């Protein structure tokens, strides 16, 4: 009995020091990928495409779950509260990782303390559009009209404190104009109203508006990337239209709960990077107005920290807050 106990103890110690690869292979069951927005939107499409590509490359299984609400906070919090075993990850973005910590008075998670960055997935600029029948054909037309009648022009976005809203705040500051912000609860109604002329302009992501722009039902005035978007080569950037340095980007990235083991993070990042380098993913993302964005976990963490400061300052300047 004494010898048996020694043998069992030695075996247990040996297992404890075995590397991850020598233990149960990760992953050995489906990975839950949380999308913090409803099905059918841009974030949902990116998540499903990347899960499909990684699955094709590795043989891993993914279960995509949509947990919308509260500007993406509900879904991100589901991931933040999950066990740190690599079987629950989330596709977060600028709003719920860099803006909402300042915008919301009671955010249930801290993106820098309660989550582990895995890697960036994509980025997409915003685009300011007006209805096809509008008299505005350039950004200069908008500025001229806004200065003639301060506050008379309206600009719609998909909500208070979004990247789109805060980009309009920064534009007004740079152009020294004042327009009236009209927040909507989602993209669809804002698009309908700018087409119908009920609002003068609409600011949203290129993936959201690229279809209507290409079909001609809205007119693009400027994009928020520093340079022109490859998907909208005929549309100038704000920076090219007289506002040097102006930039407003929505980025997307994978994260897991805090304390995710380094070996798991590396496994996931390696698979993500391989998937993002595939021509199929680049083509699919580009068709939606998004661009592949590859990073290390450390690079993603640094971006979250930097943008949290930058967007947080704009939230305070705008006076926006959600209790």
């Amino acid at each position: 009995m004494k010898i048996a106990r020694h043998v069992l103890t030695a075996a247990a110690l040996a297992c404890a020091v075995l590397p991850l690869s020598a233990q149960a292979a990760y992953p050995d069951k489906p990975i839950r990928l949380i999308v913090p927005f409803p099905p059918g939107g841009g974030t949902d499409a990116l998540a499903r495409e990347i899960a499909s590509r990684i699955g094709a490359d590795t043989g891993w299984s993914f279960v995509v779950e949509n947990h919308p609400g509260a500007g993406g906070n509900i879904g991100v919090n589901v991931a933040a509260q999950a066990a740190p075993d690599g079987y629950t990850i989330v596709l977060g973005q600028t709003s719920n990782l860099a803006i909402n910590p300042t915008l919301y008075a009671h955010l249930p998670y801290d993106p820098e303390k309660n989550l582990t960055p895995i890697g960036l997935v994509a980025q997409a600029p915003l685009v300011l559009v007006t209805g096809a029948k509008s008299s505005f054909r350039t950004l200069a037309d908008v500025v001229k009209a806004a200065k003639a009648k301060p506050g008379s022009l309206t600009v719609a976005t998909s909500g208070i404190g979004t990247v789109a809203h805060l980009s309009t705040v920064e534009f007004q500051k740079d152009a020294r104009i004042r327009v009236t912000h009209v927040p909507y609860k989602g993209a669809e109604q804002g698009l309908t109203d700018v087409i119908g002329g009920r609002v003068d302009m609409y600011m949203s992501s290129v993936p959201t508006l690229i279809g209507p722009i290409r079909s001609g039902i809205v007119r693009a005035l400027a994009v928020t990337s520093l340079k022109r978007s490859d998907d909208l080569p005929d549309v100038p950037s704000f920076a090219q239209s007289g506002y040097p340095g102006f930039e407003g980007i929505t980025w997307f990235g994978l994260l897991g709960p805090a304390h995710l083991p380094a070996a798991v993070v590396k496994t996931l990042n390696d698979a993500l990077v391989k998937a993002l380098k595939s021509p199929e993913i680049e083509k699919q993302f580009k068709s939606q107005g998004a661009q592949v964005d590859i990073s290390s976990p450390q690079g993603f963490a640094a971006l979250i920290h930097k943008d949290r400061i930058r967007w947080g300052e704009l939230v305070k300047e705008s006076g926006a807050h959600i209790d």
Side-chain angles (χ1 to χ4, degrees):
M1 291 291 292
K2 202 170 185 180
I3 294 173
R5 281 197 299 271
H6 284 313
V7 171
L8 289 172
T9 300
L13 289 172
C15 288
V17 298
L18 282 174
L20 183 66
S21 60
Q23 299 180 35
Y26 168 83
D28 62 358
K29 61 181 180 180
I31 297 172
R32 183 170 62 148
L33 173 52
I34 305 296
V35 178
F37 293 99
T43 305
D44 181 68
L46 292 175
R48 293 177 188 277
E49 284 164 8
I50 200 65
S52 177
R53 183 68 258 170
I54 292 177
D57 288 342
T58 63
W60 302 350
S61 295
F62 286 86
V63 177
V64 178
E65 294 183 7
N66 297 87
H67 291 266
N73 297 345
I74 291 174
V76 173
N77 195 45
V78 169
Q81 293 186 346
D85 55 10
Y87 290 101
T88 299
I89 58 178
V90 63
L91 184 61
Q93 62 186 134
T94 311
S95 60
N96 43 54
L97 298 175
I99 294 175
N100 289 358
T102 306
L103 180 65
Y104 283 78
H106 305 288
L107 198 67
Y109 59 87
D110 184 318
E112 296 188 79
K113 293 180 180 179
N114 304 131
L115 294 163
T116 301
I118 294 167
L120 284 165
V121 169
Q123 63 168 267
L126 308 176
V127 58
L128 181 68
V129 302
T130 189
K133 297 179 181 179
S134 169
S135 61
F136 300 143
R137 297 192 171 273
T138 67
L139 205 58
D141 293 339
V142 172
V143 173
K144 183 178 178 179
K147 287 186 175 180
K149 293 183 178 180
S152 63
L153 297 186
T154 52
V155 57
T157 72
S158 58
I160 294 173
T162 58
V163 176
H165 171 214
L166 297 178
S167 292
T168 67
V169 170
E170 189 165 25
F171 171 50
Q172 291 177 73
K173 179 181 173 183
D174 291 352
R176 298 181 181 180
I177 59 173
R178 180 166 57 86
V179 299
T180 299
H181 178 226
V182 183
Y184 289 88
K185 292 184 178 180
E188 185 175 347
Q189 188 59 49
L191 178 59
T192 299
D193 283 356
V194 78
I195 293 170
R198 287 176 286 277
V199 293
D200 296 304
M201 298 168 287
Y202 182 39
M203 177 87 87
S204 191
S205 68
V206 169
T208 298
L209 292 174
I210 194 164
I213 291 169
R214 287 172 174 169
S215 68
I217 58 176
V218 296
R219 180 184 302 125
L221 301 178
V223 294
T224 60
S225 46
L226 289 174
K227 299 179 180 179
R228 296 184 185 224
S229 167
D230 291 341
D231 303 294
L232 298 170
D234 297 329
V235 182
S237 67
F238 278 77
Q240 293 171 329
S241 301
Y243 305 95
F246 187 99
E247 185 179 31
I249 298 293
T250 293
W251 40 254
F252 307 81
L254 291 179
L255 308 95
H259 310 301
L260 205 58
V264 170
V265 174
K266 184 179 187 307
T267 298
L268 288 168
N269 181 265
D270 287 349
L272 175 62
V273 169
K274 181 180 179 181
L276 292 175
K277 289 181 178 179
S278 72
E280 293 84 1
I281 281 289
E282 183 177 5
K283 182 178 178 181
Q284 287 295 324
F285 282 15
K286 189 173 182 179
S287 71
Q288 298 179 48
Q291 298 176 351
V292 167
D293 199 353
I294 297 175
S295 78
S296 66
Q298 296 77 17
F300 186 18
L303 177 63
I304 293 171
H305 180 74
K306 177 178 71 71
D307 272 12
R308 183 173 178 173
I309 295 171
R310 181 234 171 154
W311 292 114
E313 290 173 351
L314 279 171
V315 169
K316 293 173 183 176
E317 286 183 27
S318 73
H321 69 277
I322 298 176
D323 293 327

